[in-house]
Amino acid sequence: MSWIFSLSAECGSDESNVHQFAGYFEGISYLLSNGHQCKCCTDIFQDIEENWWCRISFNHLSEVGIDSPESAYLMTELGILLYQSLQLATTFRYALVGVEVDEFRTYSELMEELSSLSIPGLVLAKSFEQELGSLSGFRAFSANYIWQPYAGEVYNPLMMSPTLKNKLDELLAVG
């Protein structure tokens, strides 16, 4: 199973919006501190509510998620670069950067949960705030968007190491 690091943005029901969004990212490359060049690849799809999504992912980047402190650092660096580019993008309703963020919430799910939702890095169009009132934990992101500031990517050795997980399970079985 792949664990893909990406930017996923929901662009609403108008297909032209998602193509404009994808066009903005298509071909952009980022140079990371380790010298690795990451070129944006775009993928467009619809969710079960028939809203359009764009996924921005990268060739030659880990497909197993965050498997070391170094990969957490590099994906955080890339995440910051993606958010900097996202500040200038338009035509999306909400977006998130991370591992496995495709269709992280449909529009109706997001609307139901938004008042109590805490997802660091979640970027929303200001229209959400106009519709629902002030949203706790959100602050200005750009002229037309608000967000819950990005917290970076985290390496969790218990998720990546079966040996450590087994040792923890043994410890928990004692109690």
Side-chain angles (χ1 to χ4, degrees):
M1 179 170 109
S2 291
W3 290 80
I4 306 296
F5 179 82
S6 66
L7 160 65
S8 287
E10 196 265 29
C11 298
S13 60
D14 184 345
E15 187 177 359
S16 65
N17 287 342
V18 77
H19 287 287
Q20 183 178 347
F21 184 87
Y24 172 75
F25 280 94
E26 191 62 46
I28 290 179
S29 289
Y30 301 106
L31 181 61
L32 300 181
S33 59
N34 68 350
H36 187 80
Q37 189 83 22
C38 293
K39 184 177 179 185
C40 293
C41 301
T42 60
D43 183 31
I44 293 172
F45 55 96
Q46 268 187 305
D47 65 18
I48 61 171
E49 294 180 356
E50 298 186 2
N51 289 311
W52 289 96
W53 286 79
C54 182
R55 177 190 317 113
I56 312 299
S57 59
F58 305 89
N59 289 337
H60 313 297
L61 190 66
S62 173
E63 292 187 359
V64 295
I66 299 165
D67 60 353
S68 69
E70 293 78 20
S71 68
Y73 180 90
L74 292 172
M75 288 183 197
T76 298
E77 181 181 10
L78 185 54
I80 291 168
L81 293 168
L82 284 166
Y83 279 116
Q84 287 174 339
S85 294
L86 190 61
Q87 285 183 309
L88 303 174
T90 59
T91 68
F92 70 97
R93 293 197 294 189
Y94 55 98
L96 185 64
V97 169
V99 175
E100 292 301 299
V101 294
D102 293 349
E103 296 182 72
F104 59 94
R105 295 287 191 291
T106 62
Y107 180 78
S108 60
E109 289 170 338
L110 186 67
M111 292 301 285
E112 287 175 20
E113 301 171 11
L114 199 51
S115 62
S116 63
L117 200 59
S118 176
I119 302 178
L122 178 62
V123 178
L124 301 174
K126 282 189 176 177
S127 60
F128 282 90
E129 200 168 48
Q130 293 164 353
E131 189 175 329
L132 299 171
S134 181
L135 295 169
S136 177
F138 284 86
R139 54 194 257 191
F141 178 73
S142 65
N144 297 313
Y145 294 91
I146 57 174
W147 78 327
Q148 292 181 343
Y150 183 54
E153 305 305 315
V154 177
Y155 170 61
N156 185 341
L158 287 174
M159 289 183 65
M160 297 309 298
S161 170
T163 304
L164 289 177
K165 179 70 173 125
N166 288 339
K167 287 181 180 188
L168 178 61
D169 289 344
E170 290 171 13
L171 178 63
L172 294 173
V174 172

